[in-house]
Amino acid sequence: MTEAEILIVDDDPASITALKTALAGQGGLRFATHGSEALRMVQRHVPDLVLLDIGMPGLSGYEVCRALQGDPLTADVPVIFLTSHDDAEEELTGLSLGAVDFIAKQARPPLICARVRTHLRLKRMNDDLRRAASEDALTGLANRRRFDEALVTEWLRHLRSQRPLSLLMIDIDHFKAYNDLHGHPAGDQCLRLTARALHDVTLRPADLLARLGGEEFGLLLPDTDVAGAQEVARRLLLAADTLALPHGACPDRACVSWSIGLACSTQLRQDLQANPLGSHALMEAADRALYDAKRRGRACFAVAPS
């Protein structure tokens, strides 16, 4: 089990020191002394739990919590408010914003540890349930639901950062004929081997490979332009050659191959590039490119036109 990551946000150095001592051994601890710094940190690395002071200069704890809850990247991260006062109104406000708990700064360290352990355990349980609901049972890859959520999340990140986002749609060629000849158990094994071969090419943790349904897969490539996505597509096609899985029912080649459609955010019209719903246009462009690759004879990739 990987170590939990806890972000402590407080403008009081004495409070940070006390919490650092109290939470020693509970996980990896990171610290921010004001709200805007905390929001920058969670964009780079999403924590498992945030301990958040309410009263800070600049952005208040309430404003930081509202921003965390409003971002799909951090909406599932539990927030515990730190408070110096026993104020029912403060607690009601925080809970209404989505916080999971309140801890008084003067609370005894064992109590703080117990609360933190409880919410980290609940977070792990929720993550496990979410993972089970988002995994394709046959291949172990992300499923369509997970892919759709990630596509929206990465598109929103693209809008903020203005960094390119690329998408590859991958389809096994003549898969129905393969199933008809070899049988469905062999077809399932073909899907598993294809998933493994594609996964081995997916090198970066930020990339997401998913089985979208049937014999179709999707690969999200954040911070990747057209040239970079083309290089990934070439490696995917080489992976099919390396796999060298005999087909037997393919009219034009002896082994299983796949076709790839490629689209990048920079290729979309300007109005779509800035549209929160532009992720749909990106997927449609990649899908059209996939059909183009099929028309060209399969076992190749095609790039969506600019």
Side-chain angles (χ1 to χ4, degrees), residues 258-271:
W258 41 78
S259 300
I260 302 171
L262 186 162
C264 182
S265 57
T266 57
Q267 298 171 296
L268 301 180
R269 299 195 319 261
Q270 287 295 324
D271 60 319

Side-chain angles (χ1 to χ4, degrees), residues 19 22-23 26 49 51 80 82 101-119:
L19 287 166
L23 296 174
Q26 299 303 309
L49 180 69
L51 296 175
I80 298 176
L82 303 169
D101 206 348
F102 269 71
I103 295 179
K105 290 186 178 182
Q106 61 270 27
R108 293 181 297 110
L111 177 60
I112 295 174
C113 282
R115 296 276 189 88
V116 166
R117 279 197 301 269
T118 294
H119 289 293

Side-chain angles (χ1 to χ4, degrees), residues 136 138-139 172 175 178-179 182-197 211 214 217 243 245-246 256 258:
D136 176 60
L138 179 65
T139 64
I172 301 176
F175 184 70
Y178 185 96
N179 256 343
H182 299 287
H184 288 285
D188 288 348
Q189 180 65 359
C190 175
L191 289 167
R192 284 190 288 266
L193 291 173
T194 295
R196 189 182 308 162
R211 182 185 176 205
F217 300 81
L243 180 60
L245 182 63
V256 169
W258 41 78

